[in-house]
Amino acid sequence: MLVGPNTASCSEVFTYYAQRAGVLAVGEATRGVGNSGVTFRPLPDGGVLSVTMLRAYWPDGTPLPERVQPDLLAPTDLDALTGEGRDTTLQAALDALNGHAR
């Protein structure tokens, strides 16, 4: 699975459980909101109030982590991506799948 700073919420929880099942997570640490549920309430002035409503726990009471750390750290090289069209994170994942992890 490819993960990074824009991986958030349910995708963090999904990745966390996938890792526990043996799936390799490649990329960078996730956003850090995987262990919470948020509700939004409108305010009279047109603003919005965001309230965290829950935390997720294992049956033994251990909380799920706030963010997911990848098994293989592979930050995206934006210069390679925008200048050359090379996705370094994707390439690291493909290399790992082919047994050539860097």
Side-chain angles (χ1 to χ4, degrees):
M1 298 185 75
L2 299 179
V3 297
N6 291 322
T7 305
S9 195
C10 276
S11 58
E12 288 175 295
V13 174
F14 183 81
T15 301
Y16 177 74
Y17 283 113
Q19 280 180 304
R20 304 286 114 5
V23 173
L24 182 71
V26 179
E28 298 176 73
T30 61
R31 169 103 31 202
V33 294
N35 188 7
S36 63
V38 179
T39 187
F40 300 94
R41 301 286 183 204
L43 297 174
D45 68 354
V48 176
L49 175 67
S50 168
V51 179
T52 300
M53 297 290 290
L54 62 95
R55 295 279 183 218
Y57 296 89
W58 281 97
D60 69 1
T62 304
L64 296 183
E66 289 183 14
R67 70 183 71 246
V68 173
Q69 297 296 329
D71 301 300
L72 176 59
L73 183 62
T76 300
D77 181 335
L78 289 178
D79 290 334
L81 184 62
T82 58
E84 306 165 29
R86 264 187 329 111
D87 187 330
T88 54
T89 305
L90 177 59
Q91 190 58 56
L94 294 172
D95 289 347
L97 285 172
N98 290 319
H100 307 290
R102 298 175 188 193

